[in-house]
Amino acid sequence: MVPWPKKIEQNQKEKTAALTPDTVIFYDTRSKERSMEASLKPLAEVLSGEIEILTGVKPSVKLFKKGDANADDIVLRFSPIIGHFAESEDNEDQSYTLSISRSGIEIKSQY
């Protein structure tokens, strides 16, 4: 189940993103106490597989570097952690931001 968004903003002038054979899913990394949450690569690989099942197009998965993403790419990023890093998933902030613009699709979360 996907949670219902708290807020939706739509700009009709923005170009929509398109899924193409050249679409790339970029993932972010960071240094944190829990090594399993140091990279979004596992989530990027799952997303790529799910997109392939639904569309037949399997986006490649690459490490994100500023300036790499194109308009039809997807970028999974970490948001800055507010407060202390949660000791368990039960205490984590599970919110995220999804932005679609001319520069691509970006999904950010503290994770």
Side-chain angles (χ1 to χ4, degrees), residues 43-87:
L43 294 176
E45 291 172 340
V46 168
L47 180 58
S48 176
E50 293 294 320
I51 290 172
E52 180 183 31
I53 290 168
L54 294 171
T55 68
V57 174
K58 183 170 177 66
S60 60
V61 173
K62 297 180 181 179
L63 177 63
F64 176 72
K65 291 182 222 146
K66 190 173 182 175
D68 278 353
N70 294 313
D72 295 328
D73 292 334
I74 300 168
V75 182
L76 304 180
R77 303 277 317 265
F78 286 113
S79 296
I81 294 174
I82 299 170
H84 298 288
F85 193 73
E87 292 182 23

Side-chain angles (χ1 to χ4, degrees), residues 10 15-16 39 42 47-48 51 58 63 71 85 89 94 100 103 109:
Q10 186 175 6
K15 172 189 170 264
T16 59
S39 174
L47 180 58
S48 176
I51 290 172
K58 183 170 177 66
L63 177 63
F85 193 73
E89 285 187 23
Q94 298 284 326
I100 303 171
S103 58
S109 175

Side-chain angles (χ1 to χ4, degrees), residues 3-111:
W4 188 256
K6 189 183 286 186
K7 178 179 172 186
I8 297 175
E9 294 178 16
Q10 186 175 6
N11 182 344
Q12 297 293 339
K13 295 179 184 178
E14 289 285 334
K15 172 189 170 264
T16 59
L19 186 63
T20 73
D22 296 325
T23 296
V24 176
I25 299 175
F26 289 98
Y27 64 91
D28 207 358
T29 61
R30 66 176 174 198
S31 298
K32 284 295 155 203
E33 296 88 7
R34 296 190 325 234
S35 61
M36 68 180 183
E37 294 175 352
S39 174
L40 293 173
K41 184 177 182 181
L43 294 176
E45 291 172 340
V46 168
L47 180 58
S48 176
E50 293 294 320
I51 290 172
E52 180 183 31
I53 290 168
L54 294 171
T55 68
V57 174
K58 183 170 177 66
S60 60
V61 173
K62 297 180 181 179
L63 177 63
F64 176 72
K65 291 182 222 146
K66 190 173 182 175
D68 278 353
N70 294 313
D72 295 328
D73 292 334
I74 300 168
V75 182
L76 304 180
R77 303 277 317 265
F78 286 113
S79 296
I81 294 174
I82 299 170
H84 298 288
F85 193 73
E87 292 182 23
S88 71
E89 285 187 23
D90 294 337
N91 299 323
E92 287 180 351
D93 176 357
Q94 298 284 326
S95 64
Y96 66 93
T97 303
L98 169 67
S99 302
I100 303 171
S101 69
R102 288 187 181 137
S103 58
I105 298 168
E106 181 178 72
I107 305 168
K108 289 178 85 170
S109 175
Q110 291 183 33
Y111 184 64

